[in-house]
Amino acid sequence: MSLFSSNRSGGEFAPRGIRIGLQELIALRGQARRLDLAPRGRVLATRSGGHLSRFRGRGMEFDESRRYQPGDDPRNMDWRVTARAGVPHVKLFREERERPVWLLVDQGPSMRFGTRVAFKSVIAAQVAALLGWAASDRGDRIGGLVFDESSHLERRPAARGTALLPLLDRLAATPCVSTGVGSGGGHASIELAAGQLVRLVRPGSLVVVVSDFAELSAEGGGWASQITAGSELILVQVQDPIESSVPPPGRYPVWTEHERGMLDLTGAAARRAYEDYFAQQRDRLERLARRERVHLVSLTTEDSVGPALALALGAGRVAGSTGGRR
């Protein structure tokens, strides 16, 4: 049963929100200062910089003592405080570290869709720009992989935003859609793109995956286990409001990159099928987040991206937490 009927509209149909300009992405740097990208877990830092690492080395500046916790290095025992307090304490050391940050941004066919305010691809571009600028301002090295079904752009992490601007430029570009999916070096799904990223990420990185996760399979997500084995992972799901919850019965106008059409939800069977599809999609992603104990942020195309990200990253430090409006 087809719920979506469409009509080719050509170039005359290009409402605001389908694409975003490079200057708009650059201008988001001011909002990025509100974002908290402090490490949320065990971080394997690899180079000198401006972060505090939970891996303490010898000869570092003493910071404080605290009670011993399972997993602490016994070589860091603070015997004086332990004798005085009567319970084991360890020394903590301040160590400056720089993190590589990877942005994996989905710009595939399902992201080039919207019913209100903007395409999911536009929101994803804003998310990537905000997080990229926030990481750059912290002194991180930024890199990433932006992909659609036709091509991808890969940049290794580099300091001072050297790799960020090419990524933003790619996010602002018009997709070059081809009929041969993946034939031009693109990726047909988030699973394939993440599989490539796994081979690039080194331990101690922060990896942010921005997608609607429409192609996440029930058996998939092995890439997440590989990333979290040595790095921190944040999942940012972008949804259109019409995907977040089934709307009232009716026929709804929708947009894709080259089409406009109607989503027919007048019948009870169509509404049940629609609701079940997106519920299963959401459950798969939430199970993945819980299994890997990663930070999950959910945004809709109606959200003001900067404030929603600031709230989600500042308030939620537990696996499976969400931000934005549901």
Side-chain angles (χ1 to χ4, degrees), residues 135-188:
S136 178
D137 287 344
R138 288 177 57 86
D140 288 327
R141 292 178 290 128
I142 317 300
L145 193 157
V146 178
F147 75 96
D148 57 30
E149 72 276 26
S150 299
S151 64
H152 77 271
L153 176 70
E154 173 194 316
R155 286 291 183 270
R156 302 296 178 102
R160 295 183 295 278
T162 304
L164 180 58
L165 284 175
L167 293 171
L168 298 186
D169 187 54
R170 172 63 173 80
L171 288 166
T174 302
C176 182
V177 180
S178 70
T179 55
V181 175
S183 60
H187 298 289

Side-chain angles (χ1 to χ4, degrees), residues 105-122:
V105 190
D106 185 354
Q107 296 280 281
S110 66
M111 296 292 287
R112 302 193 296 271
F113 169 85
T115 60
R116 279 175 268 175
V117 183
F119 274 11
K120 291 183 286 183
S121 58
V122 170

